[in-house]
């Protein structure tokens, strides 16, 4: 009854096949765990104030028009000029309100309550995926993230991890793909995409984003009830200094098409476009917060998973699913250490406005610096010396429509006569 083959060694081919099967199973299990982990991290918190509605004239499931003709929104909002908060509801069929590039989706009649019951206290984390607010025209506003893009979805030769912001993902694919990137998957002319149609970036069709002469108008409401305004804080292209949630406290304008009253010292959010970093941003959290660290403390997903991204602007280390922003300066609104350049990036504008305002700053040749600010027209003149090497100067006679003449005088002058034109 002895078995002559029982102790026979296995052939090398069988051992190799067994090893390959084990390796494939290991990779499969790792991939499944990674997907589950990404989905769990991406879910985060979500609002509870959204319900279906029957108030829309278009039936749910109807294809939305890309011309904006099927958009329907019913606003039942009250505004407190003392707190800056909106209360009430917006009913919308979620169809885009403006002509875009064909991404329209289908209608879903929805009623959203403001403030959403989940976000009545602050500070609080915002949803990592999905709605963080609504525009006043009834379009979804999302945070900066998507659930990832697989190789071949938008182009060949590139992919994006879940939790990478949409604009940085686009810049990454444009750098590494061997085929042209389908940018329509990321944003159309208004800044929106997908179905249901939504924004991750500035809502370019909801207000005049090229008007840098005044505080931008109200364009949306966050789920915590605070208003969302366009990118500008004031005249001369002034950008707001915001906290890590992308909000701050200041005066907001009234008298717009929504008949709001001017409010002093109220918290509100601003959209942003940042030329020094590929991202364009909406909301990082529901504020106010006092620091980036406080914002990060709201999220279990900040600091637990990073990846390296290379674009034409440089190489960045990205903290996935961490939407907090640094205490931004008025000129850059730079995101936090969430994205830290490891190479010197070249400034890249994601979307260029149709009009720009340029301000020239004269540089004195000596150590004396003079700065003049006026709301009137400023004529900058360069005096012509009476002779090469002259050390005297006489102001010319005032003429024409000039209100102010500005001269840069060097310390080498021994005498100055006359009166400047004011």
């Amino acid at each position: 009854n002895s078995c002559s083959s029982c102790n026979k060694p296995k052939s090398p081919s069988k051992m190799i096949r067994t090893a390959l099967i084990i390796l494939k199973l290991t990779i499969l299990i790792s991939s499944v765990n990674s997907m589950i982990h990404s989905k769990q991290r991406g879910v985060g918190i979500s609002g509870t104030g959204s319900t279906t509605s029957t108030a829309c004239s278009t039936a749910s499931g109807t294809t939305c028009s890309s011309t904006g003709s099927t958009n329907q929104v019913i606003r039942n909002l009250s505004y407190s000029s003392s707190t800056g908060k909106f209360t009430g509801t917006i009913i919308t069929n979620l169809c885009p309100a403006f002509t875009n590039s064909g991404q329209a989706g289908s209608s879903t009649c929805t009623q959203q309550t403001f403030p959403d019951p989940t976000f009545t206290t602050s500070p609080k984390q915002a949803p990592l995926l999905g709605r963080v607010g609504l525009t006043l025209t009834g379009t979804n506003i999302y945070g900066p993230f998507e659930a990832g893009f697989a190789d071949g979805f938008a182009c060949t030769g590139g992919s994006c991890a879940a939790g990478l912001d949409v604009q940085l993902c686009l810049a990454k694919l444009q750098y590494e793909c061997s085929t042209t990137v389908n940018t329509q998957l990321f944003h159309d002319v208004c800044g929106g995409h997908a179905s249901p149609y939504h924004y991750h970036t500035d809502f370019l069709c909801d207000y005049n984003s090229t008007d840098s002469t005044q505080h931008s108008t109200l364009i949306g409401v966050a789920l915590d009830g605070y208003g969302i305004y366009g990118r500008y804080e004031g005249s001369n292209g002034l950008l707001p200094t915001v906290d890590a949630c992308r909000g701050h406290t200041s005066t907001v304008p009234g008298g717009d098409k929504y008949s709001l009253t001017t409010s002093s010292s109220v918290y509100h959010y601003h959209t942003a476009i940042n030329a020094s970093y590929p991202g364009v941003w909406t909301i990082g959290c529901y504020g106010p917060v006092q620091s980036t660290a406080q914002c990060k403390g709201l999220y279990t997903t900040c600091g637990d998973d990073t990846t390296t991204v290379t674009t034409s602007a440089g190489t960045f280390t990205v903290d996935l699913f961490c939407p907090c922003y640094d205490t931004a300066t008025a000129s850059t609104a730079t995101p936090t250490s969430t994205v830290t350049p490891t190479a010197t990036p070249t400034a890249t504008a994601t979307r260029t406005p149709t009009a720009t305002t340029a301000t020239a700053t004269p540089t004195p040749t000596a150590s004396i610096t003079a700065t003049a600010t006026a709301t009137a027209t400023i004529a900058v003149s360069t005096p012509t010396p009476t002779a090469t090497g002259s050390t005297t100067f006489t102001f010319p006679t005032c003429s024409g429509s000039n209100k102010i003449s500005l001269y840069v005088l060097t310390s080498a002058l021994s005498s100055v006569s006359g009166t400047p034109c004011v």
Side-chain angles (χ1 to χ4, degrees):
N1 295 326
S2 63
C3 179
S4 61
S5 63
C6 290
N7 296 322
K8 185 178 181 179
K10 294 180 181 179
S11 65
S13 61
K14 286 184 178 180
M15 295 175 66
I16 292 173
R17 286 198 298 270
T18 301
L20 288 174
I21 290 172
I22 294 173
L23 179 61
K24 288 181 180 179
L25 287 174
T26 302
I27 293 173
L28 178 61
I29 293 170
S30 176
S31 298
V32 170
N33 286 336
S34 178
M35 290 172 63
I36 293 172
H37 179 59
S38 293
K39 288 184 178 180
Q40 287 175 339
R41 296 179 73 249
V43 169
I45 196 171
S46 59
T48 57
S50 177
T51 59
T52 57
S53 174
T54 58
C56 304
S57 58
T58 54
S60 291
T62 302
T63 300
C64 297
S65 169
S66 61
T67 65
S69 60
T70 53
N71 169 263
Q72 185 176 11
V73 60
I74 304 169
R75 292 180 295 272
N76 297 300
L77 295 171
S78 298
Y79 174 69
S80 171
S81 59
S82 60
T83 66
K85 278 203 171 188
F86 291 85
T87 56
T89 62
I90 291 179
I91 298 173
T92 172
N93 63 0
L94 298 178
C95 288
F98 307 97
T99 299
N100 55 32
S101 303
Q103 298 189 81
S106 58
S107 65
T108 303
C109 195
T110 302
Q111 176 175 291
Q112 175 65 55
T113 300
F114 295 94
D116 186 291
T118 304
F119 306 111
T120 55
T121 59
S122 63
K124 201 154 191 174
Q125 61 176 293
L128 295 173
L129 296 174
R131 183 185 301 163
V132 299
L134 282 173
T135 68
L136 292 182
T137 55
T139 299
N140 276 316
I141 304 168
Y142 284 13
F145 307 125
E146 280 284 8
F149 290 88
D151 189 359
F153 182 72
C155 61
T156 301
S159 62
C160 292
L164 189 66
D165 77 85
V166 173
Q167 295 304 104
L168 187 54
C169 172
L170 174 59
K172 176 180 184 288
L173 296 182
Q174 288 174 328
Y175 178 77
E176 67 186 12
C177 282
S178 59
T179 59
T180 302
V181 179
N182 182 0
T183 57
Q184 289 297 308
L185 296 174
F186 295 86
H187 59 74
D188 57 23
V189 294
C190 292
H193 75 154
S195 180
Y197 187 80
H198 59 271
Y199 295 118
H200 293 279
T201 68
D202 200 357
F203 330 140
L204 299 176
C205 296
D206 283 74
Y207 75 112
N208 184 357
S209 61
T210 64
D211 183 3
S212 60
T213 63
Q214 58 188 333
H215 193 291
S216 296
T217 59
L218 178 74
I219 52 179
V221 182
L223 293 187
D224 63 352
Y226 284 120
I228 303 173
Y229 293 76
R231 65 181 68 165
Y232 294 111
E233 176 66 16
S235 60
N236 300 319
L238 179 65
L239 299 178
T241 300
V242 295
D243 63 18
C245 296
R246 280 225 54 83
H248 72 153
T249 299
S250 71
T251 298
V252 294
D256 62 6
K257 60 183 177 180
Y258 301 110
S259 301
L260 297 178
T261 55
T262 300
S263 302
S264 299
S265 299
V266 295
Y267 189 77
H268 60 281
Y269 303 101
H270 281 270
T271 61
I273 183 167
N274 181 12
S276 65
Y277 171 72
V280 181
W281 307 91
T282 52
I283 289 176
C285 56
Y286 296 120
V289 292
Q290 301 304 312
S291 66
T292 300
Q294 185 181 13
C295 175
K296 287 186 173 184
L298 302 173
Y299 296 92
T300 60
T301 51
C302 286
D304 73 329
D305 194 6
T306 61
T307 189
T308 300
V309 174
T310 300
T311 73
S312 60
T315 299
F316 301 86
T317 299
V318 183
D319 189 349
L320 298 173
F321 280 120
C322 186
C324 301
Y325 311 99
D326 202 353
T327 305
T329 64
S331 60
T332 61
T334 305
T336 4
S337 48
T338 301
V339 179
T340 305
T342 55
T344 303
T346 302
T348 303
T350 318
R351 193 176 291 107
T352 305
T354 55
T356 57
T357 301
T359 304
T361 304
T363 304
T365 55
S367 59
I368 302 173
T369 303
T371 303
T373 303
T375 56
T377 302
I378 299 178
V380 180
S381 306
T382 303
T384 303
T386 55
T388 302
S390 173
T391 59
T392 63
F393 173 76
T394 302
F395 282 101
T397 304
C398 298
S399 63
S401 59
N402 292 344
K403 300 301 181 185
I404 296 177
S405 291
L406 176 65
Y407 299 93
V408 179
L409 307 181
T410 73
S411 58
L413 293 174
S414 61
S415 66
V416 178
S417 59
T419 303
C421 178
V422 178

